[in-house]
Amino acid sequence: MGDDVPKDQQGPPPAEAAKPETRLKGHLGHLTHEEETAFEQFKKLCIKEGLYTPATDEARASHDDGTLIRYLRARKFVPQDAFAQYKDTELWRKENDLDVLYEKIDIHDYQEARSVYPQWTGRRDKRGIPVYLYEVGKLDSKKMVAYTSSTSKSKVKGPSPTRMLRLFALYENLTRFVMPLCSAVPGRPNPETPVDQSNNIVDISKVGLKQFWNLRSHMQDASTLATAHYPETLDRIFIIGAPSFFPTVWGWIKKWFDPITTSKIFILSHHQVLPTLTSFIDIENIPRKYGGHLDFECGQMPVLDPQVRECLTILPGPDAETYFLSAPVRWIEAGEDEEMTALSVGSLDGKERKEPVATLHSLAVRVATHSSNFQSQRTQTAVPNSRPTTPHSHAVSSKQAPKASRPVSLDQAAPSSRPASIQPAPAVNLSTISIHERSVPASGSLQHPLANGGPPEKIFMPPPPVQIERTKTEYVTPAEDPAEIKQLA
């Protein structure tokens, strides 16, 4: 076990893949002239259909550039193709009321979902991209039966299956909490480019053939949702610990995923694990069981790296750090000092939460918003706003750079204003910790209360997009007994 790698997926990615300039192709701040032109055309299409509102002197853009550019990358910078996917996603979000769902999701449901999907280690790779860990062997039949039963009893209902709505909240945590935080930390390479992807270590050691087969729909859900509605949030997946039968079954396993996802999967033999991981990730940020120095396993709280921790003040109070790292959170601007506040949302025992749990300091916020300012100066577009105008709205001038699209202030905490940029968020070991049973004090040397903290008094919701027909996303479960699995018997 450990050296059983399919020949068509043999070995690590090429050495140049670890270089920042390789990842930066097609990203903000590093667009070619043709890509910038496509970006402008894409924005015009979105504005025409009322699905995007550009920034003005009085208001920020409805969507940040980092979110928009992901759709273009996913569709090879063909504006019409990118717009079709973007429109489908926007209407899917409205159809399922997803912004409200993230604000109200039961925290216990959220934690259960996080326990069965990839979990943020609290660390980043050498390029500043968050590193997630997924230990598939821990998803035994007992755990998965309990999770399936829990989703069937959930009070959250919508056009999409309940299991997909829970999974959605994990992707929201990635794009609205983890990625903005990683983008904001000073000292990373290429700060002009926001972090909008994740790096994943997937450990499949001690996984049997039957367990693989039983998990097929569970794994396919994540791939389906990411491909359809969170495109280009995956940088790469390193699969380690492949069992002896893996080369035989890889042919039908990769059919569970779309071609774009499979192209980012690299299956490492035992002797390739540490050399490959250290080419992308500093050794102190690699879990010990894979040869690194980090004490982290799935089920634990994320272990924030020192650079991230220095930018934060986790507010004192019962369970503040637990909520910060294990509950649904989004960033909002705290005031004129340009510091940002992490707002813990979701509901607990039927009561909605909107409580500040941490502050991101102004230096980091300036780093985070630099990329928006940088790109706005390069991709300004003089186009009319087709949405219903307000007394303060007007068209963007080609001679005037719009304001950066940042999280809004506390008194305008609009859930739909999503910070710049899946894989799903970290998990707490639910068998050993409960937010009702354990109080985690604030840590570090930056402990002080938020100067102007407190939950927002109201939620401002912008007008919804105009009614447009969309192509419904289908979630498909594979056949129960395909020919391939019979041949393995």
Side-chain angles (χ1 to χ4, degrees):
M1 186 176 72
D3 291 310
D4 300 288
V5 179
K7 292 182 179 180
D8 65 340
Q9 211 85 9
Q10 177 75 40
E16 58 269 19
K19 298 179 180 179
E21 56 267 27
T22 301
R23 185 188 78 86
L24 294 172
K25 293 179 180 179
H27 287 253
L28 292 180
H30 298 269
L31 302 179
T32 65
H33 175 72
E34 292 76 15
E35 290 169 344
E36 287 188 352
T37 300
F39 194 23
E40 293 175 3
Q41 293 173 351
F42 174 58
K43 282 188 172 181
K44 288 180 179 180
L45 289 172
C46 296
I47 293 169
K48 181 179 178 181
E49 296 290 348
L51 297 174
Y52 168 69
T53 303
T56 67
D57 286 340
E58 291 79 21
R60 295 181 174 87
S62 61
H63 299 72
D64 60 83
D65 287 351
T67 296
L68 298 178
I69 203 70
R70 288 194 285 105
Y71 290 87
L72 273 171
R73 284 205 311 270
R75 297 303 169 187
K76 301 185 184 301
F77 282 86
V78 178
Q80 292 77 12
D81 293 349
F83 172 72
Q85 182 175 8
Y86 173 77
K87 180 182 76 171
D88 187 66
T89 293
E90 287 300 297
L91 297 177
W92 172 79
R93 295 182 67 91
K94 179 184 177 183
E95 187 178 86
N96 288 277
D97 208 9
L98 295 185
D99 289 319
V100 174
L101 173 63
Y102 191 64
E103 299 290 305
K104 296 183 177 182
I105 187 171
D106 183 89
I107 292 178
H108 297 299
D109 289 350
Y110 178 85
Q111 290 178 335
E112 283 185 336
R114 292 169 66 245
S115 72
V116 296
Y117 284 105
Q119 302 166 14
W120 185 36
T121 62
R123 300 304 173 99
R124 302 165 297 145
D125 70 9
K126 294 178 180 179
R127 302 162 297 170
I129 298 175
V131 176
Y132 281 76
L133 176 62
Y134 196 22
E135 295 182 73
V136 181
K138 293 187 176 182
L139 306 182
D140 55 30
S141 59
K142 182 178 179 180
K143 186 178 186 70
M144 295 310 299
V145 167
Y147 180 71
T148 301
S149 175
S150 174
T151 57
S152 67
K153 298 175 182 177
S154 175
K155 297 180 180 179
V156 177
K157 303 297 180 183
S160 297
T162 301
R163 70 182 191 278
M164 301 302 289
L165 295 178
R166 282 191 178 187
L167 180 57
F168 141 81
L170 304 183
Y171 279 99
E172 288 292 289
N173 185 268
L174 173 71
T175 59
R176 300 177 68 177
F177 171 65
V178 177
M179 286 178 177
L181 176 58
C182 292
S183 295
V185 178
R188 67 180 177 88
N190 303 104
E192 75 281 357
T193 302
V195 173
D196 60 0
Q197 293 180 310
S198 65
N199 215 334
N200 294 256
I201 300 171
V202 178
D203 185 349
I204 59 174
S205 60
K206 302 179 182 179
V207 179
L209 179 59
K210 182 178 180 180
Q211 186 178 3
F212 262 123
W213 183 245
N214 291 338
L215 291 171
R216 69 196 182 283
S217 296
H218 181 72
M219 293 180 177
Q220 198 174 37
D221 282 348
S223 178
T224 299
L225 187 61
T227 302
H229 302 304
Y230 296 89
E232 282 293 304
T233 52
L234 173 65
D235 179 60
R236 65 194 67 243
I237 295 174
F238 298 114
I239 293 184
I240 61 179
S244 58
F245 61 82
F246 195 75
T248 306
V249 302
W250 172 245
W252 56 265
I253 288 178
K254 67 182 180 181
K255 294 178 183 178
W256 301 347
F257 309 105
D258 69 280
I260 295 177
T261 299
T262 56
S263 71
K264 297 180 178 184
I265 296 175
F266 298 91
I267 305 168
L268 306 180
S269 63
H270 178 71
H271 71 277
Q272 293 170 336
V273 171
L274 190 58
T276 301
L277 292 183
T278 52
S279 68
F280 286 87
I281 309 168
D282 290 328
I283 195 155
E284 61 266 22
N285 296 327
I286 298 173
R288 285 190 183 276
K289 65 188 304 181
Y290 311 121
H293 300 163
L294 178 64
D295 290 318
F296 179 85
E297 293 186 4
C298 281
Q300 295 180 350
M301 296 275 282
V303 182
L304 294 178
D305 73 47
Q307 282 185 304
V308 173
R309 191 63 185 83
E310 287 172 3
C311 296
L312 291 166
T313 295
I314 296 180
L315 305 181
D319 300 322
E321 188 160 339
T322 301
Y323 280 120
F324 178 64
L325 295 174
S326 68
V329 174
R330 59 182 173 85
W331 292 102
I332 57 175
E333 189 175 324
E336 295 180 358
D337 57 5
E338 292 191 345
E339 292 192 339
M340 286 166 53
T341 296
L343 193 70
S344 176
V345 296
S347 61
L348 191 61
D349 298 330
K351 183 179 180 181
E352 290 184 37
R353 288 175 48 83
K354 282 185 174 62
E355 299 181 12
V357 289
T359 301
L360 184 62
H361 298 295
S362 57
L363 174 62
V365 173
R366 287 195 294 272
V367 171
T369 58
H370 171 72
S371 59
S372 295
N373 293 327
F374 179 86
Q375 190 63 22
S376 293
Q377 293 166 7
R378 300 186 62 185
T379 61
Q380 298 163 37
T381 306
V383 289
N385 185 351
S386 64
R387 279 194 176 185
T389 58
T390 65
H392 300 291
S393 64
H394 60 272
V396 178
S397 168
S398 61
K399 297 182 180 180
Q400 184 178 12
K403 289 187 177 182
S405 176
R406 292 178 292 170
V408 295
S409 61
L410 278 167
D411 59 352
Q412 291 180 317
S416 60
S417 298
R418 300 187 291 278
S421 71
I422 114 221
Q423 300 300 334
V428 173
N429 188 335
L430 300 177
S431 64
T432 60
I433 182 171
S434 167
I435 54 180
H436 290 299
E437 299 171 356
R438 180 176 176 186
S439 175
V440 181
S443 59
S445 59
L446 295 172
Q447 301 177 26
H448 61 74
L450 184 66
N452 59 344
E457 296 180 355
K458 61 181 180 180
I459 297 296
F460 169 76
M461 292 295 292
V466 295
Q467 295 293 330
I468 300 177
E469 294 297 326
R470 61 174 288 264
T471 302
K472 184 177 180 180
T473 302
E474 299 292 344
Y475 302 106
V476 181
T477 299
E480 291 297 323
D481 191 21
E484 291 96 332
I485 201 68
K486 289 181 179 179
Q487 296 174 5
L488 299 174

